[in-house]
């Protein structure tokens, strides 16, 4: 009997485990330690230790501990209460907190030279490729709050406006970086986003400084520092985003586009060695992208998951119908052997993805897209060859049921694409009835019990596939010469 591949701890089934919360608590502990050490070093070696609050070094450290703990506890509660899905891939939470910590420490160091050197929107631009918009905005806000309160301890009374101005500029700049462009990101969009955010930050500072003093001179006195900060943010985003992708093996929209390029190693292998499966994956990808967009999920991630979901078929391509040309090797072997070969493509696919450093969000779909469904064709074949009973458990996939909406979409689109192609004279009504039965069957078998997809989502997915069916499988018009157009 095939053994199930053990998945890493950062991919959980049925929601975050206790280990996930402990890992997150550990990450926050490291964040606290790094930021606090940076502040202590800064306070002790700064030219003046008498800030706005006129505190001693010890009192300043004590106050900062309280402030830092308050903000980090608030951020921790936000994640575990409102954004629990981040805990399903701990690498993502770790990457986001690493970016957050880097920016806060950098800002603490930059305050030593001038408060307007602080990178007020950098957290948002670093977090956005790896998180949802609200996460990027929230992280940027907390980074600005911690960095700005640092000024209370380190600056003198004359520079008090810098506390308020950097906080406001950071929050508004973070909002511009997060919400001014659509969700889909390309490298060009990222560059434009950085430039727009930089211009907006300069304008915000100009308005704040000019309004405060009723003169333009405070802005012109600090424009050099503000300009360096903006230029530094643009440079750091272009360097750090690919670095975070590489270190944490995460998926940004840029990475997803690269993974679905037909020259990507595994995709190219699939096209050459299993062309039937490759074409099947392309069709599933078209369905999945439309469905993901319809229910508000990342269409780039859905397309990438569809491209890689059947990679395991590379190990035994000839045993899958779409790659056969008349000869079917299953005709010569026992149904239980056939079932073993067929279901093994899910775990084989996971191994291939891991060996080629395909991100976990995509790799896990290979063992989720059939869940624990039975392989009915070979089960029925086995029943026809014996007078005794046949245990259906021996003919089930030994994967895992979907843990997210994308996994559920791939499960539906994978079966739908194959079933529609096998239909005689499919129509919209026939396809709709087929999909209703398919979804109902998976609901009864508990295939969606561990993901948060709703009945409304499932109905939206079904309608999206029916609407897309006409465009993907339309019949060609035949002319008198027998050629279609």
């Amino acid at each position: 009997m095939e053994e199930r591949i053990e998945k890493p701890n950062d991919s959980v089934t049925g929601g975050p485990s206790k280990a996930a919360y402990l890992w997150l608590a550990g990450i926050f502990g490291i964040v606290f330690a790094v930021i606090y050490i940076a502040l202590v070093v800064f306070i002790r070696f700064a030219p003046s230790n008498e800030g706005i609050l006129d505190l001693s070094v010890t009192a300043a450290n004590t106050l900062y501990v309280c402030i830092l703990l308050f903000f980090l506890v608030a951020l921790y509660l936000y994640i575990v209460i409102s954004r629990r899905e981040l805990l399903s891939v701990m690498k993502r939470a770790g990457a986001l907190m690493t970016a957050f910590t880097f920016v806060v420490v950098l800002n603490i160091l930059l305050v030593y030279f001038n408060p307007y050197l602080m990178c007020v929107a950098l957290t948002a631009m670093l977090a956005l490729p790896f998180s949802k918009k609200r996460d990027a905005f929230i992280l940027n806000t907390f980074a600005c709050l911690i960095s700005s309160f640092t000024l209370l301890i380190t600056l003198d009374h004359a520079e008090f406006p810098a506390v308020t101005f950097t906080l406001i500029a950071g929050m508004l700049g973070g909002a511009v970086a997060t919400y001014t462009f659509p969700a889909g990101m390309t490298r060009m969009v990222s560059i434009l986003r950085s430039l727009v955010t930089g211009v907006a930050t300069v304008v915000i500072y100009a308005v704040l400084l000019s309004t405060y003093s009723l003169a333009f001179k405070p802005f012109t006195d600090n424009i050099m520092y503000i300009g360096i900060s903006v230029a530094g943010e643009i440079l750091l985003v272009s360097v750090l985003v690919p670095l975070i992708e590489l270190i944490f093996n995460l998926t940004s929209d840029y990475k997803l586009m690269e993974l679905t390029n037909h020259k990507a190693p595994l995709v190219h292998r699939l096209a050459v060695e299993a062309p039937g499966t490759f074409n099947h994956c392309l069709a599933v990808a078209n369905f999945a992208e439309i469905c993901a967009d319809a229910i508000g999920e990342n269409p780039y991630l859905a397309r990438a998951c569809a491209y890689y979901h059947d990679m395991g078929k590379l190990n035994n391509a000839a045993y899958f119908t779409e790659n056969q040309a008349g000869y079917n090797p299953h005709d010569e072997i026992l149904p239980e052997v056939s079932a073993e070969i067929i279901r093994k493509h899910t775990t084989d696919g996971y191994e291939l993805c891991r060996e080629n450093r395909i991100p976990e969000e995509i790799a896990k779909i290979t063992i989720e897209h059939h869940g624990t469904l039975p392989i009915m064709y070979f089960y029925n074949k086995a029943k026809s060859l014996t007078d005794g009973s046949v245990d259906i458990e021996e003919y089930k996939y030994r994967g895992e049921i979907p843990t997210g909406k994308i996994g559920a979409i791939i499960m539906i689109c994978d079966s739908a694409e194959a079933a529609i192609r096998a239909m005689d004279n499919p129509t919209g009504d026939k396809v709709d009835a087929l999909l209703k039965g398919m979804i109902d069957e998976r609901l009864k078998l508990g295939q969606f019990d561990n993901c948060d997809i709703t009945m409304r989502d499932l109905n939206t997915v079904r309608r999206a596939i029916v609407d897309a069916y006409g465009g993907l499988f339309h019949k060609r018009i035949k002319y008198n010469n027998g050629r279609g157009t």
Side-chain angles (χ1 to χ4, degrees):
M1 182 178 293
E2 178 187 356
E3 294 182 359
R4 178 181 297 178
I5 291 179
E6 292 297 328
K7 296 173 67 179
N9 291 332
D10 60 4
S11 181
V12 296
T13 303
S17 63
K18 291 182 180 178
Y21 291 108
L22 291 175
W23 272 107
L24 186 65
I27 290 172
F28 271 84
I30 294 172
V31 169
F32 175 86
V34 172
I35 294 176
Y36 178 68
I37 290 172
L39 182 82
V40 169
V41 171
F42 175 75
I43 290 177
R44 291 188 179 278
F45 292 100
S48 173
N49 291 326
E50 295 184 357
I52 296 171
L53 300 180
D54 198 21
L55 299 173
S56 65
V57 172
T58 302
N61 288 341
T62 302
L63 176 63
Y64 195 75
V65 167
C66 296
I67 293 172
L68 183 56
L69 277 175
F70 173 78
F71 286 132
L72 291 183
V73 168
L75 184 56
Y76 178 88
L77 291 175
Y78 165 76
I79 293 175
V80 300
I81 295 174
S82 301
R83 301 292 295 122
R84 292 180 65 204
E85 65 188 69
L86 283 175
L87 303 185
S88 64
V89 182
M90 283 305 302
K91 290 186 300 182
R92 189 173 298 275
L96 293 176
M97 293 310 298
T98 298
F100 171 85
T101 306
F102 170 80
V103 175
V104 173
V105 171
L106 177 65
N107 284 341
I108 290 173
L109 299 177
L110 290 174
V111 168
Y112 178 87
F113 301 99
N114 187 284
Y116 296 105
L117 283 173
M118 288 172 55
C119 300
V120 292
L122 181 57
T123 308
M125 290 190 284
L126 289 179
L128 193 58
F130 311 105
S131 65
K132 293 189 175 181
K133 290 185 175 183
R134 64 177 180 271
D135 298 330
F137 177 75
I138 292 294
L139 281 173
N140 192 78
T141 299
F142 274 96
C144 289
L145 284 168
I146 294 173
S147 301
S148 297
F149 271 97
T150 301
L151 303 181
L152 287 173
I153 301 170
T154 57
L155 297 182
D156 58 33
H157 295 76
E159 295 176 298
F160 177 75
V163 177
T164 305
F165 294 163
T166 55
L167 179 58
I168 295 175
M171 296 181 69
L172 293 179
V176 171
T178 306
Y179 296 107
T180 50
F181 284 82
M185 291 174 61
T186 63
R187 301 289 182 187
M188 183 55 68
V189 169
S190 178
I191 293 172
L192 290 174
R193 183 193 303 274
S194 299
L195 291 173
V196 169
T197 303
V199 171
T201 302
V202 172
V203 171
I204 291 167
Y205 271 126
V207 172
L208 291 173
L209 288 166
S210 301
T211 303
Y212 175 77
S213 63
L214 298 179
F216 204 60
K217 190 174 186 301
F219 173 69
T220 57
D221 289 343
N222 292 287
I223 184 61
M224 181 183 72
Y225 301 109
I226 296 171
I228 293 173
S229 171
V230 168
E233 286 184 353
I234 296 173
L235 178 62
L236 286 171
V237 168
S238 63
V239 172
L240 293 179
V241 168
L243 194 60
I244 292 172
E245 286 179 7
L246 179 64
I247 293 174
F248 291 93
N249 196 24
L250 290 176
T251 56
S252 66
D253 286 347
Y254 324 127
K255 181 72 171 287
L256 292 172
M257 291 177 186
E258 292 167 359
L259 288 171
T260 53
N261 188 308
H262 290 192
K263 293 183 180 180
L266 280 181
V267 176
H268 181 68
R269 272 193 65 191
L270 195 67
V272 173
E273 299 176 27
T277 300
F278 174 70
N279 287 319
H280 161 71
C281 290
L282 294 184
V284 173
N286 288 331
F287 278 141
E289 185 172 1
I290 293 168
C291 292
D293 191 54
I295 65 172
E297 292 297 305
N298 187 339
Y300 299 107
L301 178 58
R303 172 166 285 275
C305 289
Y307 268 59
Y308 287 83
H309 80 282
D310 269 347
M311 281 298 169
K313 292 182 179 180
L314 282 170
N315 289 359
N316 291 292
Y319 284 85
F320 295 90
T321 307
E322 66 269 22
N323 299 314
Q324 296 169 359
Y327 170 68
N328 187 349
H330 291 290
D331 294 338
E332 301 175 1
I333 58 179
L334 295 172
E336 56 264 34
V337 177
S338 294
E340 185 69 17
I341 292 172
I342 293 300
R343 68 178 165 216
K344 199 170 186 295
H345 85 271
T346 58
T347 49
D348 283 351
Y350 187 74
E351 286 182 337
L352 276 172
C353 287
R354 293 295 300 277
E355 289 170 5
N356 288 269
R357 286 187 55 80
I358 303 301
E360 179 66 20
E361 297 96 314
I362 298 171
K364 71 178 183 179
I365 299 300
T366 60
I367 54 176
E368 290 183 356
H369 74 281
H370 285 300
T372 56
L373 292 169
I375 308 172
M376 294 305 298
Y377 178 82
F378 293 111
Y379 172 68
N380 291 329
K381 183 178 178 180
K383 286 184 15 179
S384 70
L385 295 176
T386 180
D387 294 331
S389 62
V390 178
D391 186 2
I392 196 171
E393 293 297 324
E394 295 299 318
Y395 289 85
K396 285 185 176 181
Y397 283 97
R398 297 197 182 97
E400 298 185 10
I401 60 178
T403 55
K405 292 185 179 182
I406 296 292
I409 288 172
I410 300 300
M411 173 179 278
I412 295 170
C413 291
D414 177 46
S415 299
E417 193 278 334
I420 292 172
R421 284 195 180 275
M423 290 177 71
D424 293 326
N425 300 316
T427 64
D429 290 338
K430 286 184 179 180
V431 171
D432 192 38
L434 172 74
L435 291 170
K436 284 181 179 177
M438 191 179 295
I439 291 172
D440 287 343
E441 179 188 30
R442 281 152 180 74
L443 285 169
K444 290 177 182 177
L445 293 174
Q447 298 302 296
F448 303 137
D449 287 355
N450 280 347
C451 65
D452 59 353
I453 197 165
T454 64
M455 287 303 301
R456 176 178 294 179
D457 291 332
L458 291 172
N459 287 329
T460 301
V461 166
R462 175 177 55 81
R463 288 193 297 268
I465 295 175
V466 173
D467 291 341
Y469 153 73
L472 295 179
F473 295 107
H474 68 281
K475 291 191 177 294
R476 294 283 186 173
I477 299 173
K478 290 186 176 180
Y479 292 91
N480 292 333
N481 60 7
R483 291 181 299 179
T485 184

